[in-house]
Amino acid sequence: MGGPGFSTTESARLLLLSVFGVLLLSGALGEQEGENLSGLSNNPDKAIFAVRENGTTCLMVEFAVRFLVPYDVLALNGIDLITEQASFTLPRGAEIEGKCGITESEIHISWKNDAYTLRIYFSKEFRDKEAEVWKVSKVQFVYDTSETSHFNNAYNPGKHTASTHRLSALVTPAEHSFVCAAQQTLTLISSDHQKGVTVSMYDIQIQPFDIASDFMFGEPFKCITDQRERLEETLPIVLGFILALIIVITLTVYHFHLKLTAPQPQLPRDRSMYKNM
């Protein structure tokens, strides 16, 4: 007797179920793509990147970034190693990849044929009084010291990865975008002999979750540094206004005091004496 088999109807049903399952899975994962919108910025140092899911923006990053990367070169004696510093910025023409999720999102920014890749990871969590916030939970920077436009005569050139450790940065209320003109600096520890790589971001606006309108940031949440600088700018004006008001009030009171205390001219009571003169 032949072994058990599937009828044509059962095979077709299984095929349909398989296709339906694949469609459900792809729909759940969503089609995600990166877009470079840096051409919209008038600032030549600022880049704008977006991650879109099923044609809708789910993550946006707008910032300028500078890297300071230490690397070793061989000294003139051919024995000792000297540490040099490579300083460069994030180019506007970088390539973008990313992932959007309910509680975790990430963006990968690569350039120079993947010689450099900046990865930023975001997460959501609940803080005090059940307030929901998002934050930058991890930053990684992959760089290749054999890439000679920034690394000259690097000793033992190759790819290295620098990462943060237990990061909780740019903490922002949910459904808001983080905004900061002031520089935000992170130190990453490199696989190249534990060297410290500095990543400095400024002119920042970031939102990795809950973007309500396509290519539009949510309500801004300003960083403490910007709030302090704004206070420092307005405080002298306020104090100057208060001082001027005090001076005006003092002069006014003094003026009325003089009028009230000035001696009044006395007229003689008997005016007949003037007539006899």
Side-chain angles (χ1 to χ4, degrees), residues 29-227:
L29 293 175
E31 183 183 349
Q32 298 175 345
E33 58 180 358
E35 272 195 59
N36 189 328
L37 307 173
S38 301
L40 300 177
S41 174
N42 295 324
N43 186 340
D45 297 324
K46 185 186 289 188
I48 306 175
F49 306 123
V51 178
R52 311 190 78 211
E53 182 178 52
N54 297 326
T56 303
T57 306
C58 57
L59 187 158
M60 278 187 70
V61 174
E62 180 176 349
F63 55 12
V65 185
R66 176 168 291 279
F67 304 90
L68 190 62
V69 184
Y71 68 101
D72 292 332
V73 297
L74 200 60
L76 294 176
N77 60 14
I79 300 173
D80 299 324
L81 293 177
I82 299 173
T83 300
E84 299 284 353
Q85 299 278 355
S87 177
F88 50 92
T89 58
L90 175 67
R92 287 158 55 100
E95 297 180 354
I96 312 304
E97 291 182 353
K99 297 177 183 178
C100 293
I102 298 174
T103 59
E104 293 186 352
S105 295
E106 59 191 70
I107 186 168
H108 302 180
I109 307 168
S110 303
W111 64 99
K112 288 279 186 181
N113 297 319
D114 293 333
Y116 306 95
T117 301
L118 176 65
R119 303 188 184 110
I120 306 175
Y121 299 85
F122 307 91
S123 63
K124 263 187 179 183
E125 63 182 35
F126 286 94
R127 290 283 177 101
D128 298 335
K129 298 180 181 179
E130 299 299 315
E132 190 177 24
V133 299
W134 65 261
K135 66 179 183 178
V136 176
S137 55
K138 186 178 181 181
V139 175
Q140 277 189 339
F141 181 54
V142 179
Y143 59 98
D144 191 347
T145 54
S146 64
E147 202 283 306
T148 56
S149 62
H150 300 305
F151 299 97
N152 297 318
N153 302 316
Y155 178 77
N156 194 20
K159 275 199 171 186
H160 303 282
T161 301
S163 303
T164 55
H165 180 63
R166 294 181 181 178
L167 182 64
S168 181
L170 315 189
V171 179
T172 304
E175 301 182 3
H176 287 65
S177 62
F178 177 85
V179 176
C180 196
Q183 180 172 293
Q184 304 292 301
T185 301
L186 301 173
T187 300
L188 287 58
I189 303 303
S190 175
S191 58
D192 182 14
H193 298 89
Q194 302 296 299
K195 290 182 173 64
V197 174
T198 302
V199 179
S200 301
M201 301 179 288
Y202 52 96
D203 289 339
I204 309 166
Q205 187 162 15
I206 297 176
Q207 187 170 353
F209 303 100
D210 306 315
I211 296 180
S213 301
D214 209 18
F215 298 121
M216 295 290 291
F217 286 108
E219 184 178 346
F221 175 79
K222 289 192 175 182
C223 63
I224 299 298
T225 310
D226 279 9
Q227 294 178 21

Side-chain angles (χ1 to χ4, degrees), residues 261-272:
T261 57
Q264 299 294 326
Q266 299 293 325
L267 295 175
R269 295 179 180 179
D270 187 3
R271 298 189 181 186
S272 61

